[in-house]
């Protein structure tokens, strides 16, 4: 193999590497765009995320307890509720 042939082979290899890197970047950019579109569509009225957020907001939690106490991280009692009649 002559020097010219080696240089040509090296140039072709570099060109292939650049093309592969460019393709990977294009695929990454396309995936990001698709993900953003899917999230945007799901957030619109009638979308899956929007429906889930509405459903979660409509839930009401009822908590029954005879004794309830909230303790701060330093060990002090912040709130204490006993039985209320």
């Amino acid at each position: 193999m002559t020097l010219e042939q080696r240089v040509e082979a090296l140039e072709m290899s570099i060109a292939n590497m650049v093309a592969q890197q460019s393709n990977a970047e294009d695929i990454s950019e396309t995936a990001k765009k698709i993900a953003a579109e899917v999230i945007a569509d799901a957030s619109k009225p009638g979308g899956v995320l929007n429906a889930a957020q509405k459903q979660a907001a409509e839930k009401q939690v009822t908590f029954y307890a005879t004794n309830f106490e909230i303790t701060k991280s330093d060990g002090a009692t912040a709130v204490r509720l006993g039985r209320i009649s």
Side-chain angles (χ1 to χ4, degrees), residues 21-82:
Q21 183 177 1
S22 176
N23 288 341
E25 290 171 357
D26 291 344
I27 291 170
S28 176
E29 187 64 32
T30 301
K32 286 178 186 177
K33 286 179 183 178
I34 290 171
E37 289 176 16
V38 168
I39 291 170
D41 288 344
S43 299
K44 291 179 182 176
V48 176
L49 288 176
N50 186 286
Q53 287 173 341
K54 281 186 178 180
Q55 185 180 14
E58 292 171 357
K59 297 290 181 192
Q60 181 180 4
V61 176
T62 305
F63 185 81
Y64 297 98
T66 55
N67 292 310
F68 181 79
E69 183 174 307
I70 298 175
T71 306
K72 295 180 185 178
S73 60
D74 64 359
T77 300
V79 176
R80 180 181 291 153
L81 299 174

Side-chain angles (χ1 to χ4, degrees), residues 7-17:
V7 170
E8 187 176 329
L10 183 59
E11 288 174 345
M12 288 175 40
S13 293
I14 291 171
N16 286 337
M17 289 173 26

